[in-house]
């Protein structure tokens, strides 16, 4: 690959391996993604999705392999790499006793944003996510869907190039699920952000630019949703996914669960 093309990859992962004791959770994972792309990482529970995201956020180090964020190897440039990263973890991480605005301000301080710039961005993001009326309310008083929207707004405060979302819609009602997914899909129009969206729900990958199927720590497939259907000689993503993984229908949880 040409150097300038390589520099455009917002995330580049190669030969990633991670064990918990003798259990191999990630076994040679490799992929690339680009700014403006919505990439769905699809895998059943236990596939290794959260482990991958924990490695990408530098929470712990891989046993082998490299991770580059905008060309920065996070082994040697962790701080610079993390500055480009927005994250919504699988487990909620808001301080429920703080107001919506205070949760965002705290995050802005962590990223060293000047107070006046932070104020402006917080206001913009709260408006954009239809939360401006809730700014002085404690996070505890918000619904699950609204809490996720606050986490999403927070993850964008420092204007990251890469947004990682780990099972962001789990536990939400169908309307809130759709709302979160649609907001993320719209963001790719800006062309400034790459989104890595992990999910075990096949219906969330239909509109992805690319799908990566992860199973038992291995990438079984990467390509467009149409290519995934073709590869599985299937009419639907669900059918292709089941054929590729060899799982039965039961692994596909009911949306909203
Ligand atoms: P996913 O997010 O796709 O559900 P995880 O990355 O959470 O998958 O887990 C992948 C596998 O690694 C699972 O079998 C899980 O039980 C195991 N695992 C995850 N975290 C740990 C840990 N801290 N210690 C031991 N095993 C773990
Ligand atoms: Mg997980």
């Amino acid at each position: 690959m040409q150097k300038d093309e390589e520099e455009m990859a917002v995330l580049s992962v190669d030969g990633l391996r991670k064990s918990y004791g003798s259990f191999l959770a990630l076994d040679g994972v490799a992929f690339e993604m680009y700014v403006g792309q919505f990439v769905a990482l699809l895998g059943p529970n236990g596939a290794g999705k959260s482990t991958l995201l924990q490695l990408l956020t530098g929470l712990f180090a891989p046993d082998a392999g490299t991770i580059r964020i905008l060309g920065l190897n996070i082994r040697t440039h962790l701080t610079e790499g993390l500055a480009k990263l927005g994250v919504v973890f699988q487990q909620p991480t808001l301080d429920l006793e703080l107001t919506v605005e205070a949760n965002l301000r705290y995050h802005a301080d962590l990223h060293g944003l000047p107070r006046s710039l932070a104020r402006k961005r917080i206001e913009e993001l709260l408006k954009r996510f239809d939360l401006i009326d809730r700014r002085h309310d404690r996070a505890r008083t918000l619904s699950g869907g609204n809490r996720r929207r606050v986490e999403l707004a927070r993850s964008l405060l420092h204007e990251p190039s890469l947004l990682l979302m780990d099972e962001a819609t789990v536990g939400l009602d169908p309307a809130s699920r759709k709302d979160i997914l649609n907001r993320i899909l719209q963001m790719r129009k800006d062309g400034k952000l790459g989104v890595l969206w992990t999910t075990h729900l096949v219906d969330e990958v239909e509109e992805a630019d690319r799908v990566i199927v992860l199973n038992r720590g291995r990438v079984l497939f990467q390509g467009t949703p149409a290519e995934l259907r073709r590869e599985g000689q299937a009419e639907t993503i669900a059918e292709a996914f089941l054929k590729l993984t060899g799982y039965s229908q039961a692994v596909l949880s009911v949306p909203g669960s």
Side-chain angles (χ1 to χ4, degrees), residues 24-254:
L24 194 52
L26 292 177
D27 185 8
V29 169
F31 66 91
E32 280 188 340
M33 59 176 287
Y34 294 84
V35 164
Q37 281 187 336
F38 176 94
V39 176
L41 180 73
L42 176 66
N45 287 326
K49 304 182 296 296
S50 293
T51 299
L52 175 62
L53 261 58
Q54 282 158 2
L55 296 180
L56 296 180
T57 51
L59 234 49
F60 47 82
D63 301 331
T66 51
I67 297 165
R68 286 196 171 80
I69 298 171
L70 285 170
L72 297 161
N73 186 333
I74 68 164
R75 190 187 289 268
T76 50
H77 295 77
L78 183 61
T79 312
E80 295 97 316
L82 291 187
K84 309 282 182 200
L85 213 61
V87 190
V88 178
F89 286 108
Q90 187 167 354
Q91 299 300 330
T93 56
L94 292 180
D95 187 325
L96 296 179
E97 303 311 325
L98 292 181
T99 65
V100 167
E101 189 168 6
N103 267 285
L104 268 61
R105 210 181 313 120
Y106 179 67
H107 182 85
D109 286 348
L110 276 182
H111 276 272
L113 287 188
R115 274 287 162 106
S116 59
L117 179 62
R119 249 196 310 275
K120 182 168 157 276
R121 290 213 189 131
I122 288 171
E123 177 143 356
E124 279 167 9
L125 282 162
L126 288 179
K127 280 184 183 155
R128 180 163 150 203
F129 289 101
D130 300 318
L131 290 162
I132 197 77
D133 297 342
R134 309 299 304 269
R135 68 195 301 172
H136 301 306
D137 295 343
R138 280 187 197 209
R140 183 177 294 288
T141 65
L142 269 56
S143 67
N146 280 342
R147 288 182 195 179
R148 272 276 125 139
R149 264 158 45 195
V150 175
E151 289 185 295
L152 186 53
R154 184 182 61 178
S155 74
L156 298 172
L157 262 180
H158 58 291
E159 301 194 316
S161 303
L162 175 61
L163 178 59
L164 307 176
M165 300 197 71
D166 197 2
E167 306 250 15
T169 63
V170 163
L172 301 183
D173 61 86
S176 301
R177 282 185 57 208
K178 217 175 182 141
D179 172 71
I180 295 280
L181 182 58
N182 284 341
R183 284 168 189 275
I184 300 289
L185 287 170
Q186 272 168 18
M187 290 197 301
R188 72 179 144 185
K189 289 188 191 135
D190 302 347
K192 289 184 193 155
L193 186 69
V195 179
L196 184 62
W197 172 275
T198 90
T199 185
H200 68 279
L201 301 171
V202 285
D203 64 319
E204 292 185 346
V205 315
E206 285 293 342
E207 293 183 62
D209 298 305
R210 295 182 68 74
V211 185
I212 300 169
V213 177
L214 187 72
N215 189 44
R216 297 188 178 142
R218 289 184 180 205
V219 173
L220 293 187
F221 168 87
Q222 41 185 322
T224 64
E227 287 165 354
L228 176 54
R229 282 190 292 267
R230 221 173 299 139
E231 172 114 352
Q233 296 182 312
E235 301 261 312
T236 63
I237 298 277
E239 193 187 334
F241 173 78
L242 294 175
K243 276 191 182 169
L244 270 175
T245 56
Y247 288 116
S248 71
Q249 187 72 26
V251 80
L252 303 177
S253 307
V254 181

